[in-house]
Amino acid sequence: MQSEIINGEFSRSELLRREFLTVMGASIAMAGFACAKRPVHKIIPYVIRPEEIIPGVPTWYASTCRECPASCGVLIKNREGRPIKIEGNPDHPLSKGALCARGQASVLGLYDPDRLRFPLLRSRNEQQSHQAAWPDVDEKIQAKLGEIANKGGRLKILSGEITSPSTKKLIKEFLAAFRNAAHVEYEPLGHDDITEGQWLCYGNAVLPAYSFGTAQVVLSLGADFLGTWSDSMEYASDWVKGRKLDSTRAASAHLSRLICFEPVMSVTGANADERYPIRPGDEIKVALAVAYELVIRKNHPLFSKNEKLVSVLKSYRPELVADEIGLRGGTGVFSALAAELWAARGKSLVIAGGIQSRTKDSLSLQVAVNLLNSVLSNEGTVVDGRRKYKRRKYKTRSSNTTSLINLISEMKAGQVDALIIYRSNPAYTLPQGVSGFDEAVSRVPLVIAVSEYEDETAKLADYVLPDHHYLENWGDSSQGNGVLSLQQPAMAPLHSSRAFEDTLLTWISGAKLNDWHHYLKANWQESVYAGQKAKLGADNSFERFWENSLRKGALTLGELGAPQPRDFIFDSIKQLPHYSRVTDGMALSLYAKVSMFDGRNANNAWLQELPDPVSSATWDNYLNIAPLAAEKLGLSENDVMEVSSGKVSAELPIHIQPGMHPNAVSIAVGYGRRAAGKVGTLAGIDAYQFMKIEGGKLVCSGQRVSLRKTGRTYELARTQWHTSTENRPVINEISFDEYKKNPAAANHTDPHLRLDKIPTMWPAVEYKGHKWGMAIDLNACIGCGACAIGCQAENNIPVVGRQQVRNNRHMHWIRIDRYYQEKSGVVFQPMLCQQCENAPCETVCPVQATVHDDEGINAQVYNRCVGTRYCQNNCPYKVRRFNFFDHWKSYGEPMNMVWNPDVTVRTRGIMEKCTFCIQRIREAKEKAKDSGMKVKDGDIKPACQQSCPTGAIVFGDLNDPNSMVSKLVSDARAYRVLEMLNAKPSISYLTKVRNKSRAGG
Amino acid sequence: MMLMTTAESLVITSEAIAIQPVPMLTGVKSFGDINDDVAKPLESFPTWRWWAVFSMAIAAFVIGLALATKMFTTGMGVLGINHPVGWGVFIVNFVFWVGIGHAGTLISAILFLFRQRWRTAINRAAEAMTIFAVMTALIFPVIHTGRPWYAVFWLLPLPNERGLWVNFRSPLLWDVFAVGTYFTISLVFWFVGMIPDIASVRDRAKHKIRKFIYSVLSLGWNGSNKNWRHYEAAYLLLAGLSTPLVLSVHSIVSFDFAVSNVPGWHTTIFPPYFVAGAIFSGFAMVVTLLVITREVFNLKSYITIGHLEKMNKVIMATGLMVGYAYACEFFIAWYSGNSFERFTFINRAFGPYWWAYWTMATCNVLIPQVFWWKKARTSLPVMFVISLFVNVGMWFERFVITVTSLHRDFLPSSWKYYIPTIYDWGITLGSFGWFFIWFLLFCRFLPIMAMAEVKGTMASHVNTNGGEKMAREAAGHA
């Protein structure tokens, strides 16, 4: 370039030295411009850096998850002022660090571009909304509320279940200004059948605490306690304690038993030792058949004396029930089950619940379950129903369907003057038309909706006020067993939203404190601090107490002592119906998926793309139907059927689901939303419309449906098509009896493909420092999928959408493979990069983009990868993921704020895979180096291990003989997947052991 | 030093042991006629037929280019590949085109060393086919990568300041060297062999620019004894160098599969099996091209039925080898007792891709058996149709190998069907367009037949009384 200028411009004139230098300088500068390829991005450092923030170092805040009423404790990882990862709080006394997939995914909801950003004024007639300002809205509403209060008008607040005592107190204060004011709480997946049953049988309307950890035998009648039922994370981490085995003590080991009778294949049923498919509505028959065995056959000393009970139970002869349901194993099942439960009385548990069993008999079912628990003396041991014990308040699940139905009729009758709806979406979650909700709301003169989205219910309101996301808000939560947790914001609000509590404080005329934070603090000072002061140390000031509580996240109010069994109220027996045989038609169950729950997260793309643990489907719901039924009707997978129940009908594709009763079908709720946002709207069909309201009660399942072929097909976006291991050395599963004799027994694999010692020509590579490895316990993995979402959040894994998932291009680095084993049942296997020592992928990459590091990790060098995909072909585990498109672009603003700055965001054309969270390994090693200490076992937890509620995944240093992972890998149950290929994977799996024996322990 | 053998070849018919010579040069041709027949088409404006085919080739190429552009700008996702099938139609095309190229080198180099003089009528066109086939093949390893703009540099061991080397253990790297070498050597061999003929064209050239271009291309050839001696020596050397490439290049390409651990790929039979298959499909492509070329360019006297029959015999032989390899694979899969291998082969024949497998078996094993009959071997329509079937069958063989092995390998949870999209097919069409553009340009600008070599080997059949030209002129005068 220089010569061009020199030759071109100056070739004829004499070039003076000075001119030459000028030209040289100019041309060098201009060369710089011509060579600039990429635009320059500027990073702006803090001008005045907040003291506690060091760029690059995360800060952690304890809080409480608000994605469902379980309210698990969480820790929020904050980088440069924004939350990027949610993890379970290990110091929380109940959830103990467990967090489900929805909790993990909640951080994405914070940055959802479809969130409401400012208040809206809605015109109900024109169905339009426009932006308004807070002062404006407050003025208008306060004026109207003042009018209503003065007239003695009726104001109702309808909300989801509120577990926060401070919020409840504030609501009470707000409602005090009105006569005939009421607060109705409603959860679509609420437990009012349980609380009502508890009231009838024991006199207090609670959701009891269940000690899954002490139960040796659990009989679940449809309750998905490992998946979506109640505090599933707490239950899972408790239940799994009875499933972990130490092979050095195999002969004297104990393994709990889980027996499930359910109308849908749920995560819980998949983990059962024994499982029976039934129709919705059969649960009570099973319960009472077992009760027949226990009370009548075994002549129970107390319960057989009650004539009414005996006369009801006499009709439930086990042979009749077994025949009606078509139980595999016949009548013998009930006698064996009864014997087993009786042998474990006081240490067993019978539970039922969830919308799949919520038929018109759901209250009777709960009475039957309570009866069984009392008969078995589980009440007061495994079932703890204390409500008030020494001034400690216990969690009462306050969702009440009856109150909601009454509210609707009041509204319809014009008896409500103002309705405030907070975090509730009955316009979607109630069956349209049948419930009359929409019509009822239209009769209310003033309707205010407070929510994060302009959802289906908000579209019925006059004012839509944006609520904070829980990560932006203060709060508290009252847990069972005397635990109180706190919620604190980890970020200043992104948009112009306002906490509901702040809104109420603004509207309460004469409010002394109109700041929710201060109100909360004041409430704690008044009601909690006083009782705890005595226990505090030297500095027992409230400020110190408050700060410590916030830091820990949760507080145990005091010692509980042993629970006392409550007396069974025999009057409740009149709830139990006499046996009547029902054999007609196809019965429908509605159920909730671990990813979608009740549909509130439909706009969360991570959850939409999380494959259902059982069906492996994403993005849609479908009609589950048994293979036998499908064959009889001549159906194949993906056929679109019209399902009709009365006047309600919908068209959706079928999924042939093994383990379903031939006369039962099921559909998941949470789909078919009409106003969820760009991601969730119109994914799947609305199953809530199949609910009925009978006798003032909501009936979710058990309706008779008719099916009609439409002739069309709809391809479900499933991530796994083949469901058998084909006898390959992938899953090792043995029965408990076999385990006790020989923990290293490995059946279910082709004996030709098992090599005890694999010959090798080369010396093994020596790892002088750390050698990272992992152990995954198949007995502990329940298939919940929290690991997949945790990994997605940690490693900036993109979402690809339904069409791409159809072509198997989803990007999850860890996936849960699910196999149906003919003899035993369902097995889940987390599959991620095995970090093989003889990695087949490393030899074949032509540009050396995948190499082995000196600590045993197979490293993928993103910027070197040219995308030949040879490594993917050569990987026998198929854990490598190729970026077929620039999926990262779908993270438009502000969603890109969720990215973890420690992990590269990959463009298209690049291969990626699990790295054992090498950024966390790095972080821990650097911290150790800075403090002059060594990395300890447990310091490094990859995202998957961190998210796992049951501790199925254990990572650590194989070179440290005392590490947890070394102990697990040397357990007799440990094996490697496809070991005979000699790839030498660094991940060992522990053989799944199912307890098939009937002996009660 | 000219190699002298008889210009006749021997054929044994099924009726008698009597030996009948098959003429390798028919008609009354003089040396001058040979020049005219080959060089005349280069000197006149191409016919409407050439333009028709050329515009079709351009259209095909443009379609491929447009689709490829979309692929480069949005991502590999427009194709059908997925997890687990990371290699699809593009790699099938790569192996297909590289395989085709081997026939040309076999004709040019191996038949030369075996002193098969009949090769001289076909070797120029066959070698040109090789060059263009390899050029077409080389497109695919580049565009099938996720980031081809880096792949073209980073797959070559270019010196750099960061001390980064390529991975010499990877078969894809071996491909770079093997196919790169193959292209280079073939190009040099082809070009050097063409020098005397280009000189002939130069000598006939009337137009100044034409003469200039052909002069440059002929490197100053003056037909002296010294020139010819150097030419012969170089030709022999290059033939010697090219010969092992026929066997090695496709063996290396087969290592892309054989060196991996995928059941159905990981087998030692691949190198000879692929080489046999390459020659099989290559000869079929040569037959397809020559049947048309000899018709269009009026070279029937030179590229005789005899030549085509010989090529059909090679097709037969290699087809039988390929059929044997299929049987061998099945036998070894069973004999090995390895349940992954057994499953893979049963899956090939009876799994979701059974249609591809049976297409392959029918086209490659069954249909060429027709060539046992001489009538079929010497019938133009029959051999043309069969050569097309063979190429379809060979394309499907690579498809079966690549796709069926990948779509169901070790872990059943990752099994998935692969369906190529319109982009896969469109870019494949584009590759055919690219190939035919080059081949048609070759036909237009360079001598299709090795004039000098034909004159040399067919000397005894050449008419020394002026040949056809004189006969025509005489008839014209009379």
Side-chain angles (χ1 to χ4, degrees):
Chain A
M1 194 195 204
Q2 303 157 13
S3 57
E4 268 179 272
I5 293 175
I6 294 168
N7 289 338
E9 288 179 15
F10 301 98
S11 55
R12 267 179 295 136
S13 65
E14 251 179 26
L15 191 61
L16 296 174
R17 197 176 61 239
R18 217 166 269 164
E19 286 167 4
F20 172 72
L21 288 173
T22 314
V23 166
M24 283 284 291
S27 61
I28 288 169
M30 282 191 270
F33 285 134
C35 292
K37 266 193 260 187
R38 293 191 184 86
V40 174
H41 295 290
K42 290 189 163 51
I43 330 170
I44 302 168
Y46 289 113
V47 173
I48 300 171
R49 180 164 64 77
E51 235 176 69
E52 63 271 15
I53 294 186
I54 303 171
V57 175
T59 44
W60 294 83
Y61 298 96
S63 184
T64 305
C65 175
R66 290 306 202 191
E67 292 297 321
C68 84
S71 309
C72 300
V74 295
L75 290 176
I76 307 170
K77 179 178 184 184
N78 211 306
R79 274 292 293 269
E80 283 87 56
R82 61 186 194 286
I84 58 166
K85 181 84 170 52
I86 314 283
E87 304 193 340
N89 184 354
D91 289 333
H92 195 280
L94 292 176
S95 57
K96 299 185 270 297
L99 188 63
C100 73
R102 284 174 292 110
Q104 289 283 344
S106 60
V107 67
L108 190 67
L110 172 63
Y111 302 110
D112 192 342
D114 292 325
R115 269 179 71 194
L116 285 169
R117 299 182 186 212
F118 30 71
L120 296 176
L121 269 172
R122 282 207 111 241
S123 141
R124 285 200 242 178
N125 294 334
E126 283 111 64
Q127 279 301 302
Q128 267 182 11
S129 53
H130 42 268
Q131 184 175 349
W134 281 107
D136 194 30
V137 159
D138 282 335
E139 202 189 305
K140 289 201 175 80
I141 293 179
Q142 278 181 285
K144 291 218 175 91
L145 290 179
E147 250 181 69
I148 293 171
N150 290 337
K151 274 196 315 195
R154 292 145 300 190
L155 176 135
K156 309 283 179 182
I157 296 185
L158 167 62
S159 73
E161 204 161 281
I162 295 184
T163 56
S164 159
S166 303
T167 305
K168 277 206 179 126
K169 181 173 172 204
L170 176 57
I171 289 177
K172 235 165 132 180
E173 271 180 41
F174 174 74
L175 292 176
F178 303 88
R179 265 194 303 150
N180 286 322
H183 175 203
V184 175
E185 293 173 70
Y186 172 69
E187 284 288 327
L189 304 182
H191 303 290
D192 13 346
D193 48 348
I194 297 181
T195 51
E196 218 186 313
Q198 288 281 315
W199 170 255
L200 282 176
C201 298
Y202 301 111
N204 56 349
V206 289
L207 180 71
Y210 300 110
S211 292
F212 280 92
T214 54
Q216 285 173 3
V217 181
V218 177
L219 170 63
S220 169
L221 302 172
D224 186 17
F225 68 91
L226 294 175
T228 54
W229 188 69
S230 188
D231 301 350
S232 54
M233 287 293 103
E234 184 196 328
Y235 300 155
S237 68
D238 282 340
W239 176 77
V240 88
K241 287 193 197 122
R243 308 297 294 183
K244 291 197 171 162
L245 296 164
D246 178 359
S247 300
T248 58
R249 290 190 281 270
S252 59
H254 286 283
L255 187 62
S256 68
R257 283 260 296 161
L258 172 59
I259 304 110
C260 289
F261 289 78
E262 52 178 19
V264 311
M265 172 70 91
S266 69
V267 165
T268 307
N271 282 289
D273 295 301
E274 220 175 284
R275 182 186 173 275
Y276 300 95
I278 56 172
R279 301 161 303 175
D282 288 342
E283 298 87 352
I284 189 171
K285 295 177 182 165
V286 171
L288 294 177
V290 173
Y292 178 101
E293 294 278 346
L294 287 171
V295 174
I296 295 182
R297 280 255 170 88
K298 287 203 193 297
N299 211 1
H300 189 278
L302 175 63
F303 285 84
S304 60
K305 302 282 188 294
N306 185 296
E307 280 167 22
K308 244 199 253 168
L309 175 61
V310 169
S311 85
V312 167
L313 287 183
K314 269 211 175 109
S315 64
Y316 284 89
R317 298 230 312 279
E319 54 271 22
L320 292 179
V321 175
D323 181 63
E324 180 193 348
I325 298 176
L327 266 190
R328 171 191 87 247
T331 330
V333 172
F334 291 122
S335 48
L337 189 51
E340 187 177 354
L341 285 167
W342 184 251
R345 62 189 179 283
K347 287 189 240 124
S348 54
L349 178 58
V350 182
I351 43 166
I355 52 170
Q356 59 266 31
S357 314
R358 203 158 163 180
T359 61
K360 57 183 178 16
D361 291 324
S362 59
L363 182 58
S364 316
L365 173 60
Q366 291 303 324
V367 172
V369 163
N370 293 337
L371 171 70
L372 282 171
N373 279 324
S374 284
V375 165
L376 293 166
S377 314
N378 296 331
E379 163 57 37
T381 51
V382 181
V383 180
D384 181 356
R386 288 174 286 177
R387 184 176 187 223
K388 227 169 163 169
Y389 187 73
K390 293 188 186 169
R391 290 172 64 215
R392 270 159 269 160
K393 289 225 172 31
Y394 284 71
K395 177 168 56 181
T396 66
R397 282 299 174 71
S398 30
S399 163
N400 200 315
T401 316
T402 314
S403 310
L404 175 61
I405 294 174
N406 289 340
L407 173 64
I408 293 175
S409 40
E410 276 177 32
M411 290 196 289
K412 247 195 225 161
Q415 291 167 358
V416 176
D417 299 306
L419 176 68
I420 303 178
I421 308 172
Y422 168 55
R423 286 191 177 273
S424 184
N425 194 2
Y428 165 65
T429 59
L430 285 178
Q432 280 203 313
V434 174
S435 64
F437 181 79
D438 290 24
E439 199 210 316
V441 170
S442 68
R443 300 258 176 101
V444 179
L446 173 64
V447 180
I448 303 165
V450 181
S451 83
E452 286 180 56
Y453 296 88
E454 195 186 357
D455 56 24
E456 292 85 343
T457 305
K459 286 202 194 285
L460 303 173
D462 300 307
Y463 297 90
V464 184
L465 308 179
D467 187 28
H468 286 334
H469 187 273
Y470 84 83
L471 292 170
E472 295 168 333
N473 200 6
W474 293 95
D476 58 1
S477 179
S478 169
Q479 309 290 292
N481 295 0
V483 174
L484 269 180
S485 39
L486 276 170
Q487 174 190 345
Q488 59 175 331
M491 184 175 190
L494 268 178
H495 309 301
S496 192
S497 55
R498 187 171 73 186
F500 175 58
E501 295 87 352
D502 274 322
T503 299
L504 290 182
L505 282 166
T506 310
W507 294 346
I508 293 175
S509 46
K512 277 181 271 157
L513 293 156
N514 56 359
D515 178 78
W516 167 231
H517 178 198
H518 287 124
Y519 184 94
L520 176 69
K521 248 175 119 169
N523 190 30
W524 269 61
Q525 186 160 17
E526 190 191 309
S527 55
V528 184
Y529 171 61
Q532 299 293 307
K533 194 163 173 188
K535 283 189 254 167
L536 301 174
D539 183 357
N540 58 357
S541 67
F542 172 69
E543 279 306 317
R544 180 41 54 97
F545 167 71
W546 177 246
E547 247 177 59
N548 282 338
S549 304
L550 279 179
R551 201 171 286 133
K552 272 192 295 196
L555 187 63
T556 307
L557 292 174
E559 280 308 311
L560 290 171
Q564 300 295 320
R566 298 167 292 174
D567 291 324
F568 188 80
I569 299 174
F570 282 90
D571 198 36
S572 61
I573 303 293
K574 63 176 187 262
Q575 274 295 324
L576 298 177
H578 277 258
Y579 172 71
S580 68
R581 189 183 168 94
V582 171
T583 46
D584 65 312
M586 199 64 114
L588 172 67
S589 266
L590 300 182
Y591 69 102
K593 284 203 201 182
V594 291
S595 55
M596 274 302 115
F597 199 60
D598 58 5
R600 63 182 72 189
N601 289 320
N603 212 39
N604 188 317
W606 290 350
L607 291 173
Q608 285 282 6
E609 199 152 289
L610 178 65
D612 184 66
V614 172
S615 70
S616 72
T618 63
W619 289 98
D620 287 298
N621 59 351
Y622 34 86
L623 182 76
N624 289 303
I625 188 167
L628 268 175
E631 211 183 299
K632 237 193 337 185
L633 295 169
L635 300 176
S636 352
E637 182 83 8
N638 295 332
D639 279 349
V640 175
M641 299 291 281
E642 188 195 40
V643 181
S644 326
S645 161
K647 290 210 204 79
V648 180
S649 78
E651 286 183 3
L652 73 169
I654 64 156
H655 166 62
I656 296 179
Q657 177 60 55
M660 293 276 298
H661 191 278
N663 289 344
V665 289
S666 63
I667 308 176
V669 296
Y671 289 87
R673 289 203 50 187
R674 299 176 295 280
K678 285 196 211 56
V679 171
T681 304
L682 297 182
I685 65 117
D686 176 14
Y688 282 115
Q689 56 182 320
F690 286 100
M691 287 193 192
K692 291 185 165 47
I693 297 189
E694 277 176 24
K697 284 199 178 332
L698 200 62
V699 174
C700 307
S701 300
Q703 315 83 315
R704 291 294 177 269
V705 291
S706 60
L707 304 175
R708 185 185 69 82
K709 282 196 234 190
T710 62
R712 283 179 281 123
T713 58
Y714 178 86
E715 193 187 342
L716 287 171
R718 289 174 59 196
T719 59
Q720 183 184 348
W721 291 92
H722 204 80
T723 57
S724 152
T725 58
E726 299 288 332
N727 220 23
R728 296 175 176 202
V730 175
I731 301 275
N732 263 5
E733 187 180 350
I734 55 179
S735 72
F736 189 44
D737 290 330
E738 287 172 295
Y739 168 78
K740 280 195 277 201
K741 285 190 224 124
N742 174 18
N747 312 359
H748 296 272
T749 67
D750 183 341
H752 292 293
L753 294 174
R754 266 185 272 132
L755 282 176
D756 289 317
K757 190 161 169 21
I758 298 166
T760 174
M761 298 195 287
W762 295 287
V765 174
E766 255 191 69
Y767 293 95
K768 301 243 166 61
H770 299 289
K771 164 75 171 85
W772 303 116
M774 199 183 255
I776 298 182
D777 188 350
L778 293 181
N779 252 26
C781 174
I782 56 174
C784 69
C787 54
I789 301 287
C791 175
Q792 186 155 30
E794 172 76 13
N795 294 297
N796 305 336
I797 296 175
V799 162
V800 301
R802 188 190 281 112
Q803 190 50 33
Q804 295 300 304
V805 175
R806 283 189 178 124
N807 200 13
N808 227 38
R809 290 176 176 171
H810 51 284
M811 297 300 288
H812 294 121
W813 290 1
I814 180 170
R815 61 175 194 260
I816 309 285
D817 287 344
R818 177 267 301 113
Y819 296 102
Y820 295 119
Q821 309 262 77
E822 240 189 72
K823 278 182 272 182
S824 54
V826 187
V827 185
F828 294 115
Q829 180 177 54
M831 182 51 66
L832 59 159
C833 174
Q834 307 281 298
Q835 313 286 346
C836 309
E837 279 182 52
N838 287 345
C841 57
E842 287 168 10
T843 40
V844 295
C845 173
V847 290
Q848 284 207 327
T850 175
V851 293
H852 220 72
D853 82 356
D854 59 350
E855 293 185 340
I857 296 213
N858 174 284
Q860 180 70 27
V861 184
Y862 302 127
N863 48 354
R864 178 71 172 168
C865 175
V866 293
T868 61
R869 301 178 302 286
Y870 203 168
C871 56
Q872 173 196 312
N873 293 343
N874 222 25
C875 173
Y877 307 99
K878 291 292 182 281
V879 286
R880 286 174 154 274
R881 297 283 156 221
F882 184 68
N883 283 280
F884 286 97
F885 287 114
D886 275 324
H887 292 296
W888 61 274
K889 287 189 182 158
S890 65
Y891 281 80
E893 293 217 358
M895 229 177 236
N896 53 358
M897 289 169 81
V898 81
W899 280 334
N900 182 354
D902 288 334
V903 178
T904 316
V905 173
R906 286 79 57 190
T907 62
R908 63 186 167 96
I910 288 177
M911 191 66 80
E912 59 184 54
K913 65 173 188 71
C914 164
T915 60
F916 270 0
C917 279
I918 198 166
Q919 67 277 8
R920 293 187 175 207
I921 297 175
R922 205 67 223 241
E923 193 186 342
K925 280 168 66 180
E926 277 171 19
K927 230 191 244 170
K929 194 167 73 167
D930 286 344
S931 58
M933 307 211 291
K934 289 179 149 240
V935 174
K936 290 194 301 305
D937 185 36
D939 275 350
I940 304 172
K941 286 206 169 85
C944 51
Q945 173 177 0
Q946 204 294 319
S947 353
C948 179
T950 55
I953 301 178
V954 177
F955 168 87
D957 187 357
L958 291 172
N959 272 354
D960 173 4
N962 297 321
S963 67
M964 178 70 133
V965 73
S966 296
K967 296 204 185 94
L968 288 171
V969 168
S970 57
D971 190 290
R973 277 166 68 212
Y975 75 100
R976 266 67 45 196
V977 174
L978 298 173
E979 192 154 14
M980 80 290 153
L981 290 180
N982 202 26
K984 293 173 77 169
S986 305
I987 300 185
S988 299
Y989 289 82
L990 299 182
T991 302
K992 187 165 180 92
V993 182
R994 272 206 159 98
N995 195 344
K996 293 291 190 190
S997 60
R998 292 279 171 79
Chain B
M1 177 196 63
M2 300 280 269
L3 296 170
M4 300 290 283
T5 58
T6 58
E8 296 161 350
S9 65
L10 304 174
V11 80
I12 299 174
T13 64
S14 53
E15 294 102 48
I17 318 168
I19 296 164
Q20 290 180 354
V22 175
M24 288 287 122
L25 176 65
T26 57
V28 181
K29 301 283 180 189
S30 69
F31 286 121
D33 285 330
I34 296 175
N35 273 22
D36 278 343
D37 287 335
V38 176
K40 263 254 175 62
L42 306 181
E43 290 153 359
S44 48
F45 199 71
T47 60
W48 68 265
R49 274 178 294 184
W50 187 91
W51 279 112
V53 184
F54 191 65
S55 43
M56 285 200 290
I58 297 249
F61 178 65
V62 166
I63 291 174
L65 189 65
L67 293 174
T69 307
K70 176 77 193 259
M71 181 180 77
F72 292 137
T73 50
T74 56
M76 303 298 286
V78 298
L79 306 171
I81 44 172
N82 54 26
H83 306 118
V85 184
W87 284 353
V89 165
F90 278 12
I91 293 300
V92 173
N93 287 345
F94 167 61
V95 182
F96 177 73
W97 284 111
V98 168
I100 284 178
H102 284 62
T105 319
L106 190 148
I107 294 172
S108 292
I110 296 185
L111 291 184
F112 176 73
L113 294 179
F114 285 177
R115 307 185 183 200
Q116 297 298 306
R117 314 199 108 206
W118 55 272
R119 61 177 270 285
T120 51
I122 56 174
N123 74 332
R124 180 66 37 71
E127 190 65 31
M129 181 203 77
T130 293
I131 306 281
F132 305 136
V134 173
M135 277 166 68
T136 312
L138 279 171
I139 295 175
F140 288 104
V142 173
I143 67 172
H144 102 286
T145 58
R147 301 203 292 173
W149 44 92
Y150 292 132
V152 288
F153 299 108
W154 295 350
L155 268 120
L156 298 169
L158 300 169
N160 57 77
E161 286 138 0
R162 287 167 292 162
L164 291 175
W165 283 107
V166 294
N167 182 9
F168 291 105
R169 291 181 299 170
S170 168
L172 293 184
L173 234 298
W174 306 339
D175 274 353
V176 170
F177 294 127
V179 183
T181 313
Y182 190 43
F183 179 65
T184 317
I185 301 266
S186 298
L187 189 63
V188 171
F189 188 24
W190 179 68
F191 179 66
V192 167
M194 250 196 310
I195 292 175
D197 292 332
I198 295 177
S200 298
V201 176
R202 169 200 65 191
D203 292 339
R204 291 162 61 100
K206 306 276 186 333
H207 199 260
K208 211 168 101 178
I209 297 182
R210 215 185 139 75
K211 201 167 182 96
F212 175 70
I213 294 174
Y214 283 109
S215 301
V216 170
L217 285 174
S218 61
L219 301 184
W221 176 268
N222 59 19
S224 69
N225 198 7
K226 215 167 163 191
N227 277 180
W228 278 110
R229 270 210 340 262
H230 290 157
Y231 174 76
E232 302 284 339
Y235 201 94
L236 181 62
L237 268 172
L238 286 166
L241 271 177
S242 303
T243 300
L245 287 177
V246 175
L247 300 168
S248 69
V249 174
H250 227 232
S251 300
I252 304 261
V253 171
S254 79
F255 285 157
D256 285 346
F257 303 103
V259 168
S260 79
N261 62 15
V262 180
W265 281 12
H266 188 57
T267 161
T268 53
I269 200 177
F270 267 29
Y273 165 34
F274 268 52
V275 172
I279 297 168
F280 185 42
S281 67
F283 268 80
M285 183 62 102
V286 173
V287 166
T288 308
L289 289 173
L290 287 182
V291 164
I292 299 175
T293 311
R294 71 194 279 274
E295 192 67 48
V296 172
F297 289 95
N298 238 321
L299 294 170
K300 291 196 216 159
S301 312
Y302 305 97
I303 306 174
T304 64
I305 299 284
H307 287 87
L308 293 168
E309 192 194 347
K310 285 196 203 295
M311 290 197 276
N312 291 336
K313 287 185 195 167
V314 175
I315 290 178
M316 260 305 288
T318 48
L320 286 171
M321 285 189 229
V322 167
Y324 169 74
Y326 293 162
C328 199
E329 278 190 312
F330 263 93
F331 173 72
I332 294 293
W334 169 79
Y335 187 66
S336 70
N338 181 322
S339 54
F340 294 120
E341 285 291 322
R342 287 184 178 180
F343 175 81
T344 297
F345 281 92
I346 296 175
N347 182 53
R348 272 196 193 175
F350 304 107
Y353 282 106
W354 62 270
W355 50 272
Y357 180 80
W358 292 107
T359 306
M360 165 189 98
T362 313
C363 294
N364 287 349
V365 180
L366 277 183
I367 291 180
Q369 300 306 315
V370 171
F371 277 162
W372 282 111
W373 287 269
K374 183 169 168 134
K375 250 205 158 147
R377 284 201 302 273
T378 51
S379 151
L380 283 172
V382 172
M383 72 172 86
F384 184 72
V385 167
I386 293 193
S387 67
L388 290 175
F389 270 111
V390 166
N391 268 323
V392 166
M394 283 310 293
W395 193 92
F396 272 98
E397 179 194 289
R398 276 60 170 261
F399 183 85
V400 165
I401 292 174
T402 309
V403 176
T404 59
S405 312
L406 281 178
H407 100 283
R408 283 185 171 181
D409 73 333
F410 294 103
L411 265 196
S413 63
S414 59
W415 289 359
K416 181 79 176 133
Y417 201 70
Y418 157 75
I419 304 176
T421 62
I422 190 91
Y423 285 82
D424 288 290
W425 299 126
I427 294 174
T428 305
L429 178 69
S431 75
F432 276 88
W434 165 264
F435 174 79
F436 279 106
I437 287 176
W438 287 104
F439 195 78
L440 289 165
L441 287 174
F442 158 73
C443 293
R444 172 73 191 89
F445 290 109
L446 290 170
I448 306 176
M449 202 180 74
M451 296 184 278
E453 294 186 65
V454 168
K455 289 177 204 165
T457 55
M458 304 288 151
S460 54
H461 277 242
V462 172
N463 184 292
T464 43
N465 287 329
E468 271 180 7
K469 198 171 171 185
M470 293 281 277
R472 255 181 286 136
E473 280 172 8
H477 283 309

